[in-house]
Amino acid sequence: MTVQNAINWPERYLPGTGDNFVSNEVIVKGLTAAQVWHYLVDTSTWESYYDNVADISFPQGDGPELKDGVGFSFGTFGFPPLAAGVVELQEPAEGVPGRLSWTAQQDGPPQERLHVLHAWLVEDLPGGRVRILTQETQIGQPAAELAQQTPNPMLNGHQAWLDGLVRAASGHSG
């Protein structure tokens, strides 16, 4: 029997308690968590494999690699750049899944406020496989509006991110 790990959720962002939640997962043979990890934590690679992210910056001069506690900002889903901060980062190792999560927010009038937690789990599985799970909880009116669309743009956007991440880690472009 193989046991798969789960995302660590802060209470505020517990799935099903916000205004929008999506979960995307792929399991791929022939890749390792370490190969995937580089393309996930090095933000300078994001735009090469995911077209729904732009304007990545590190206001405190950190980056482009994400580290625990680092603040950054980025634009996505048509929102102005969101202020983000890494809240969990654990590099994958033998028997230990890679974990990355950040919070991001957009302030302003109530109809524009958005708070999210975007989490990633990357783990090696038996048989030369890697599992990549990404989940996000969003709170705020813009999130509720996304959740009402069919299909949910965040679900499709995150699937495109996963697919691009796998292509990049596999050494394939486009």
Side-chain angles (χ1 to χ4, degrees), residues 28-44:
V28 180
K29 191 170 186 162
L31 273 181
T32 66
Q35 288 172 295
V36 171
W37 190 251
H38 163 74
Y39 291 95
L40 184 56
V41 298
D42 183 351
T43 63
S44 71

Side-chain angles (χ1 to χ4, degrees), residues 95-107:
V96 177
R99 295 180 179 279
L100 172 63
S101 64
W102 60 76
T103 56
Q105 67 183 40
Q106 173 178 282
D107 293 321

Side-chain angles (χ1 to χ4, degrees), residues 6-28:
I7 301 290
N8 296 325
W9 285 100
E11 192 68 30
R12 177 178 186 196
Y13 296 102
L14 197 62
T17 63
D19 296 304
N20 193 13
F21 171 79
V22 298
S23 179
N24 298 71
E25 176 180 40
V26 294
I27 297 176
V28 180

Side-chain angles (χ1 to χ4, degrees), residues 32-41 65-68 86 88-101 120-124:
T32 66
Q35 288 172 295
V36 171
W37 190 251
H38 163 74
Y39 291 95
L40 184 56
V41 298
E65 194 154 306
L66 297 177
K67 294 180 175 47
D68 205 15
V86 175
E88 183 180 31
L89 191 141
Q90 170 183 287
E91 191 168 339
E94 181 70 32
V96 177
R99 295 180 179 279
L100 172 63
S101 64
W120 296 83
L121 188 135
V122 182
E123 66 181 329
D124 289 314

Side-chain angles (χ1 to χ4, degrees), residues 82-174:
L82 302 169
V86 175
V87 294
E88 183 180 31
L89 191 141
Q90 170 183 287
E91 191 168 339
E94 181 70 32
V96 177
R99 295 180 179 279
L100 172 63
S101 64
W102 60 76
T103 56
Q105 67 183 40
Q106 173 178 282
D107 293 321
Q111 69 272 16
E112 294 177 11
R113 284 189 205 135
L114 179 67
H115 293 264
V116 307
L117 185 121
H118 190 161
W120 296 83
L121 188 135
V122 182
E123 66 181 329
D124 289 314
L125 297 176
R129 300 171 300 144
V130 66
R131 173 180 178 235
I132 311 166
L133 171 66
T134 188
Q135 297 181 327
E136 183 169 323
T137 293
Q138 297 182 332
I139 301 166
Q141 188 173 326
E145 291 168 4
L146 279 176
Q148 292 172 7
Q149 296 178 42
T150 303
N152 185 322
M154 195 168 65
L155 186 69
N156 286 345
H158 286 181
Q159 190 63 45
W161 198 338
L162 279 176
D163 294 344
L165 181 59
V166 167
R167 279 192 307 275
S170 299
H172 305 297
S173 60

